[in-house]
Amino acid sequence: MINNTQRLEIIQTLIDNGVEIPCFDGVIIEPTVTIGKGTVIMPGTVLMGDVKIGEGCVIGPNSYITNSTVGNNTSLNNTQSYDSVIGSGVTAGPFVHIRPNCKIADNVHIGNFVEVKNSTVDAGSKLPHLLYVGDSDVGKNVNFGCGCVTVNYDGRNKSRTTVKDGAFIGCNTNLVAPVTVGENAFTAAGSTITEDVPDNSLAVARSRQTVKEDWVNVKKPYKRQHIK
């Protein structure tokens, strides 16, 4: 770990080379890091190990990047990345965790509270919010709804999920690996998918809704007094 004198020397050298660091608070950059011109490093950002960041990026605030490559014009807000490759034009954060062995292609959007692990995400795909994508191969222009999970571990083995180009994964879908969702296929919200979905198909895997009228008045499940 570098000391404060070294930290300030590195920051000054980067500024002299065209990197913008408007506030030094919490910024730690090891000498092994390379950063392109016009990139902005926001407060609280830590860059460790073999890190290469392109031009025109915004890194931070509060991002931690180690042993990763980042392309041009990418924004990583409150994002952690370990041993991964992130393309150009990517937006990620806040609160994104990119675990080792990920390849995030150009123009991918990763929203808040998303974790990606040992996965590839191809160009133009969207992982907007509240997702876990692990041990997966996601194609181009795929859209994940909120709350989806790739179920990659059965307690003994890790298995992979494949989502092909143009697929739409509905909110709260569980993709139980090993499983493949075909090109331009849809999964209905709330589905648990355990079998392959063919191209251009809709997969629905949920129980039919049952409504029991007046159940609350009969069972009185609440501690408070029920008022009609």
Side-chain angles (χ1 to χ4, degrees):
M1 180 67 72
I2 61 176
N3 60 38
N4 195 52
T5 299
Q6 293 170 314
R7 181 180 78 92
L8 295 175
E9 289 175 351
I10 291 168
I11 288 173
Q12 188 58 59
T13 298
L14 289 169
I15 291 173
D16 293 342
N17 290 330
V19 178
E20 299 180 32
I21 307 177
C23 178
F24 298 177
D25 291 352
V27 174
I28 300 174
I29 303 173
E30 289 192 330
T32 51
V33 174
T34 60
I35 306 174
K37 291 182 179 180
T39 286
V40 180
I41 305 299
M42 299 295 287
T45 293
V46 178
L47 307 176
M48 309 284 284
D50 184 14
V51 172
K52 296 179 178 63
I53 297 174
E55 299 180 352
C57 297
V58 179
I59 309 298
N62 303 317
S63 290
Y64 182 95
I65 314 294
T66 182
N67 299 325
S68 296
T69 299
V70 180
N72 300 321
N73 303 307
T74 285
S75 175
L76 304 179
N77 175 12
N78 214 314
T79 294
Q80 296 197 1
S81 176
Y82 301 84
D83 304 290
S84 292
V85 176
I86 301 170
S88 297
V90 173
T91 57
F95 309 113
V96 166
H97 187 185
I98 300 173
R99 292 170 58 186
N101 301 317
C102 287
K103 294 182 179 180
I104 310 298
D106 295 348
N107 302 312
V108 167
H109 171 65
I110 304 177
N112 52 296
F113 301 103
V114 175
E115 180 176 350
V116 187
K117 171 250 181 185
N118 189 30
S119 295
T120 61
V121 182
D122 214 336
S125 288
K126 296 180 180 180
L127 285 62
H129 33 225
L130 301 170
L131 302 172
Y132 173 68
V133 177
D135 299 304
S136 298
D137 299 296
V138 178
K140 296 181 176 68
N141 300 312
V142 171
N143 187 87
F144 276 79
C146 179
C148 296
V149 174
T150 58
V151 185
N152 59 327
Y153 185 50
D154 64 5
R156 183 185 296 261
N157 300 306
K158 297 287 181 70
S159 299
R160 293 193 74 81
T161 294
T162 299
V163 182
K164 295 187 177 181
D165 296 351
F168 186 99
I169 309 302
C171 292
N172 294 310
T173 292
N174 296 308
L175 299 175
V176 182
V179 72
T180 296
V181 178
E183 290 188 14
N184 303 312
F186 274 61
T187 68
S191 293
T192 295
I193 304 299
T194 59
E195 299 178 1
D196 291 351
V197 182
D199 296 351
N200 304 304
S201 299
L202 168 65
V204 184
R206 60 191 185 204
S207 298
R208 185 179 298 275
Q209 179 173 313
T210 300
V211 177
K212 297 183 178 182
E213 295 185 5
D214 209 39
W215 181 88
V216 171
N217 289 328
V218 173
K219 292 294 186 179
K220 296 181 171 55
Y222 298 121
K223 291 183 179 179
R224 66 182 187 274
Q225 183 179 3
H226 184 69
I227 301 174
K228 290 186 178 181

